[in-house]
Amino acid sequence: MIFDIEMLKKFYASFGSRVERSKQSVGKSMTLAEKILYAHLFNQEDLKSFKRGIDYVNFRPDRVAMQDATAQMALLQFMNAGKDRSAVPATVHCDHLIQADLGAKTDMNTANESNKEVYDFLSSVSANFGIGFWKPGAGIIHQVVLENYAFPGGMMVGTDSHTPNAGGLGMVAIGVGGADAVDVMTGMEWELKMPKLIGVKLTGRLNGWASPKDVILKLAGILTVKGGTNAIIEYFGEGTASISATGKATICNMGAEVGATTSLFPYDNQMSAYLKATNRDEIALMADAIESYLKPDPEVIENPEEYYDRVIEIDLSALEPHINGPFTPDAATPISEFAAKVKENGYPRKMEVGLIGSCTNSSYQDLSRAASIARQAYSDKLKVAAPLIINPGSEQIRYTADRDGLLASFENIGAVIMANACGPCIGQWKRHTDDNTRKNSIVTSFNRNFAKRADGNPNTHAFVASPELTMALTIAGDLCFNPLTDTLVNEAGEQIMLQEPKGTDFPPNGFAVEDNGYIAPGEKKTEIKINPESARLQVLKPFASWDGNDLLEMPLLIKAEGKCTTDHISMAGPWLRFRGHLENISDNMLMGAVNAFNGKTNAVLNQLNGGYEAVSSVAKQYKAKGISSIVVAEENYGEGSSREHAAMEPRFLNVKVILAKSFARIHETNLKKQGMLAVTFNNKSDYDKIRENDHISIVGLRSFAPNKNLTAILYHADGTQESFEVVHTYNEMQIEWFKAGSALNVTK
């Protein structure tokens, strides 16, 4: 089935002319990212050469995708927008709320029962507003989008940071907050700062144990977790054509880990083959007809330094398998050096669980390569040393993999097949362990490995690798095992070397599925009811508008030290059940952030009574007395997912300002959309001036204007004062959001 075929026909019929018109206006050859961006301007009459990293630009994306955890808040906001239908094709995917515990069948029954209220809400809203609905168990949002909706040259937004997965089919796909998605669904312009461009030239061809995952694991080590901020990573070079479409998607998916706006590959035969394998032959034919417009111009390939802001080259033929971690996805280490790193740093050497799946690596190709190693282990009578958990990417992949014996290959060595859902990757894992506080090591094919993310244990050392390397380490149970050079002893005492993984891009007999889990939107309107006593869902009330005054003498709520991701600000795991209830989920606000003054989490000074209490508790007490507060943080604040709640919770609890050394892109936008003031230190050393019992003012707001700094004044408890400049990146439209109390207040 091809969804939205009429929209796609119109798109491909006009794409080439839009690109040509853009090239004439800009007056130069274009990269692929530029072609797609300029072709999606909200108003083609605004066509001009935009300055990368400076100009804000309004776009018109082709579609929207939402996962169930973020869809709740997005749709609650959309219900307040006064629209009858989504202005663009949109879908909801139920993949985040299913906890991995005992296995797919049992876990699905549990999820359908425990989340019934939320699923009913999402399905009814979807039916009422013309939104496609993918049932629980249908699959992980990004794999389902790749199989059904992604198309070369298109542009989409999704309420999940790994939306760039669709770049594997040459699409500019960007992770956003729910308010951004609502803008697109209401037919409004969607604003984005014109991204810078990082060109990654791929040469050679992957071989042996090296996989597409290793491309992005290596690149993460080069760029670090914020090296791609406000930039699109565009891959080019002859090496791109040797990587499958799902392999390309893996690489694009994890671009989120370096802060990239999105990542994408040029259109080629691999993409065409994937479209045909997923029953989208007509789209492949339309893309083939305009192939030259779906890749960088020849001049770009010949002189990349003239067209990209930065160029990085990776030789695929020389690429080693990598393992990244622990605690951050950019700690990249080639397998040949990893054992020494484990010993040098004293990481727990015993590998206790292997996890294969997630939106990053759950394709048929991924499972087939890992299964080849599992089959050898079974055949050679190798005892598997660690538990193995598998999460297929979609029901289509699960059904096909089961038919072809891949799942049996895993089960033969003791694997548990979990539901087609995110599961442990986003903290939905009921881990069976003797002690969920002790130090231990796990290896995953996931994308993120922040502390506590998978199992809630801050001492779990999570390492990220390819599915095949995860499989090998699971068999060995030893982080220091290198399958390229080391042997294992089987039950007969024989030395066995694991063979190189072998797999296929597509199932030999084609994909198959009995029920893909899709429900088309209904034609009739029905009443959407939310129980006022519900603990899971809560009707949203608009945030109050700005009162026109400076923000004066706000008590410091917390000065966060070190990494403060959206997981630290608004934890996932068990808290996912409250994603549709702003008041209840606000109880987790900043509970994972480390207090710079005592090194503890969720223990901050309450300036009303002098005691130390949970962050949300102190904020609530301030709010009850009409007191605004402020949060101070370090670099890349809000790194991680598109979690809108990490911006809405402080807003709800009367935090007015986040003052950081720097922000992650999605989170900074989320803060602005919710009417928060997000500012950075002009001089980062001013962070050190802030004391635990300070009151802080931000002044200059009465003349709030683009490119005009504000001033922070510190009122110390000893009666002294200090002041310094703080910087903002608000443009005229974003200032209107601030004044109105939120972006949605402006749109009404």
Side-chain angles (χ1 to χ4, degrees):
M1 176 180 180
I2 299 179
F3 293 94
D4 312 307
I5 185 63
E6 294 306 318
M7 178 270 283
L8 291 166
K9 288 178 178 178
K10 292 177 182 177
F11 171 85
Y12 283 112
S14 64
F15 186 77
S17 61
R18 280 182 281 156
V19 171
E20 286 295 343
R21 191 163 57 248
S22 299
K23 288 172 65 174
Q24 290 174 10
S25 177
V26 173
K28 67 179 184 66
S29 299
M30 282 185 154
T31 68
L32 174 58
E34 288 176 311
K35 291 178 181 180
I36 298 174
L37 291 171
Y38 278 86
H40 283 86
L41 293 179
F42 186 81
N43 188 341
Q44 287 293 316
E45 293 178 2
D46 294 338
L47 186 58
K48 66 175 185 178
S49 180
F50 294 100
K51 297 176 182 176
R52 299 177 195 163
I54 297 175
D55 289 341
Y56 283 89
V57 186
N58 293 325
F59 293 102
R60 191 188 298 272
D62 300 302
R63 65 178 314 113
V64 171
M66 298 165 279
Q67 42 95 334
D68 51 354
T70 50
Q72 296 171 63
M73 198 59 70
L75 293 180
L76 285 165
Q77 293 176 84
F78 184 72
M79 288 166 60
N80 287 340
K83 301 295 182 179
D84 293 328
R85 262 182 103 77
S86 174
V88 300
T91 51
V92 168
H93 304 258
C94 296
D95 63 353
H96 272 54
L97 300 180
I98 304 166
Q99 186 179 53
D101 182 9
L102 301 175
K105 185 176 181 180
T106 302
D107 294 350
M108 281 303 307
N109 289 336
T110 300
N112 281 320
E113 181 179 342
S114 62
N115 299 318
K116 184 178 187 303
E117 179 184 14
V118 172
Y119 293 150
D120 287 349
F121 167 75
L122 293 175
S123 62
S124 64
V125 176
S126 297
N128 272 285
F129 292 101
I131 298 168
F133 182 74
W134 291 82
K135 296 185 296 185
I140 303 172
I141 177 173
H142 309 305
Q143 182 62 37
V144 173
V145 166
L146 195 72
E147 292 176 0
N148 296 278
Y149 298 112
F151 61 94
M155 183 180 194
M156 68 173 286
V157 297
T159 60
D160 189 280
S161 58
H162 293 103
T163 300
N165 192 81
L169 277 179
M171 192 176 202
V172 165
I174 301 175
V176 299
D180 281 341
V182 171
D183 284 351
V184 178
M185 292 165 66
T186 57
M188 287 181 54
E189 61 269 26
W190 176 65
E191 183 191 64
L192 178 74
K193 183 181 287 186
M194 182 59 80
K196 293 185 177 181
L197 298 178
I198 298 174
V200 178
K201 183 178 181 180
L202 301 182
T203 61
R205 188 183 186 90
L206 293 168
N207 59 80
W209 283 85
S211 75
K213 183 69 164 277
D214 298 306
V215 176
I216 187 59
L217 293 180
K218 179 178 178 64
L219 186 63
I222 296 171
L223 288 174
T224 77
V225 290
K226 64 175 186 174
T229 303
N230 291 322
I232 289 178
I233 299 174
E234 182 174 317
Y235 295 86
F236 69 98
E238 68 274 14
T240 62
S242 68
I243 301 174
S244 68
T246 53
K248 290 177 170 75
T250 290
I251 295 168
C252 292
N253 178 293
M254 262 195 78
E257 271 47 78
V258 297
T261 301
T262 193
S263 304
L264 78 163
F265 278 81
Y267 183 70
D268 59 18
N269 290 336
Q270 297 278 7
M271 294 186 191
S272 179
Y274 184 79
L275 288 168
K276 293 172 183 175
T278 51
N279 299 312
R280 291 176 285 174
D281 301 62
E282 192 170 355
I283 300 176
L285 289 172
M286 290 188 287
D288 289 344
I290 60 164
E291 181 179 1
S292 64
Y293 293 110
L294 298 174
K295 55 182 60 176
D297 286 330
E299 295 81 5
V300 175
I301 303 300
E302 293 168 9
N303 299 289
E305 288 80 7
E306 294 182 17
Y307 295 90
Y308 297 105
D309 297 288
R310 179 179 179 183
V311 176
I312 298 168
E313 186 167 339
I314 296 176
D315 181 0
L316 300 179
S317 300
L319 184 63
E320 268 193 76
H322 275 60
I323 303 179
N324 287 26
F327 306 126
T328 184
D330 61 348
T333 309
I335 185 67
S336 61
E337 302 172 15
F338 189 66
K341 181 178 179 180
V342 170
K343 296 170 184 176
E344 180 181 346
N345 291 282
Y347 300 147
R349 179 169 173 172
K350 181 182 178 183
M351 200 282 241
E352 298 198 17
V353 187
L355 302 108
I356 294 174
S358 84
C359 61
T360 317
N361 281 112
S362 56
S363 68
Y364 188 91
Q365 180 188 28
D366 291 324
L367 295 183
S368 67
R369 283 174 63 87
S372 73
I373 302 168
R375 283 194 297 272
Q376 185 196 347
Y378 184 74
S379 174
D380 287 345
K381 295 182 172 51
L382 285 169
K383 187 176 181 180
V384 179
L388 175 65
I389 291 173
I390 307 289
N391 283 85
S394 70
E395 175 57 15
Q396 177 170 268
I397 289 173
R398 186 213 65 79
Y399 186 93
T400 308
D402 188 31
R403 179 200 68 187
D404 294 351
L406 301 186
L407 299 189
S409 297
F410 295 124
E411 290 173 322
N412 286 340
I413 62 170
V416 177
I417 310 300
M418 296 294 184
N420 313 317
C422 302
C425 184
I426 48 97
Q428 285 285 47
W429 182 22
K430 189 175 182 180
R431 185 176 178 185
H432 299 272
T433 178
D434 58 328
D435 180 1
N436 205 38
T437 61
R438 67 174 173 80
K439 286 186 177 181
N440 72 101
S441 292
I442 64 174
V443 179
T444 81
S445 71
F446 304 163
N447 41 50
R448 294 204 173 122
N449 56 352
F450 304 141
K452 299 184 181 181
R453 182 173 177 89
D455 60 3
N457 181 359
N459 293 310
T460 292
H461 293 55
F463 297 91
V464 178
S466 66
E468 42 269 64
L469 194 54
T470 300
M471 185 73 255
L473 290 170
T474 303
I475 295 168
D478 180 3
L479 284 186
C480 293
F481 174 69
N482 181 352
L484 282 72
T485 58
D486 301 341
T487 59
L488 296 168
V489 180
N490 70 1
E491 294 176 0
E494 300 167 323
Q495 296 286 333
I496 303 293
M497 175 167 276
L498 294 178
Q499 298 166 12
E500 292 178 356
K502 302 292 182 184
T504 59
D505 294 356
F506 309 113
N509 297 314
F511 286 108
V513 67
E514 287 186 345
D515 178 7
N516 65 3
Y518 176 71
I519 300 177
E523 296 298 326
K524 295 181 180 180
K525 293 280 187 179
T526 59
E527 183 180 1
I528 300 168
K529 296 181 180 179
I530 298 176
N531 184 348
E533 303 301 318
S534 172
R536 299 289 299 272
L537 296 165
Q538 182 183 51
V539 175
L540 282 179
K541 296 180 180 178
F543 291 127
S545 60
W546 176 53
D547 65 6
N549 297 313
D550 287 332
L551 301 172
L552 302 177
E553 299 191 41
M554 298 170 288
L556 174 68
L557 181 61
I558 183 173
K559 179 179 177 179
E561 181 179 65
K563 188 182 285 285
C564 194
T565 71
T566 48
D567 279 352
H568 295 86
I569 304 166
S570 176
M571 286 190 176
W575 290 95
L576 284 172
R577 67 186 185 275
F578 297 130
R579 284 289 178 85
H581 199 294
L582 184 55
E583 184 173 2
N584 284 349
I585 199 170
S586 293
D587 285 339
N588 77 2
M589 186 186 76
L590 285 158
M591 67 185 302
V594 175
N595 183 347
F597 299 107
N598 59 17
K600 297 180 179 180
T601 58
N602 218 23
V604 296
L605 177 66
N606 184 337
Q607 297 197 40
L608 296 175
N609 59 30
Y612 284 83
E613 302 172 29
V615 184
S616 63
S617 175
V618 176
K620 284 181 180 179
Q621 292 174 59
Y622 290 160
K623 178 181 177 180
K625 292 184 175 294
I627 300 171
S628 303
S629 57
I630 181 172
V631 169
V632 173
E634 294 202 73
E635 298 282 5
N636 211 27
Y637 180 82
E639 170 194 345
S641 72
S642 66
R643 203 163 302 160
E644 187 169 35
H645 302 76
M648 296 185 80
E649 291 174 34
R651 184 75 170 94
F652 178 75
L653 293 180
N654 214 29
V655 177
K656 293 293 177 66
V657 183
I658 308 293
L659 170 58
K661 291 183 179 179
S662 65
F663 288 99
R665 176 193 62 84
I666 297 177
H667 190 64
E668 183 178 21
T669 300
N670 284 348
L671 290 168
K672 292 176 178 180
K673 288 273 183 176
Q674 300 304 332
M676 294 281 289
L677 184 64
V679 291
T680 56
F681 293 96
N682 188 46
N683 184 341
K684 293 181 181 181
S685 64
D686 288 334
Y687 169 90
D688 300 322
K689 296 177 180 178
I690 294 169
R691 304 176 190 174
E692 187 173 26
N693 50 7
D694 276 352
H695 284 70
I696 304 172
S697 295
I698 303 293
V699 300
L701 288 171
R702 292 178 182 176
S703 57
F704 197 9
N707 304 312
K708 184 178 181 181
N709 290 351
L710 302 170
T711 300
I713 304 173
L714 309 182
Y715 299 91
H716 300 310
D718 61 8
T720 61
Q721 296 182 19
E722 294 182 79
S723 65
F724 50 80
E725 283 192 340
V726 294
V727 181
H728 72 84
T729 61
Y730 288 72
N731 59 27
E732 293 285 1
M733 180 184 291
Q734 294 167 346
I735 290 172
E736 291 305 310
W737 299 345
F738 173 79
K739 291 179 178 178
S742 74
L744 286 180
N745 287 353
V746 174
T747 66
K748 291 178 183 177

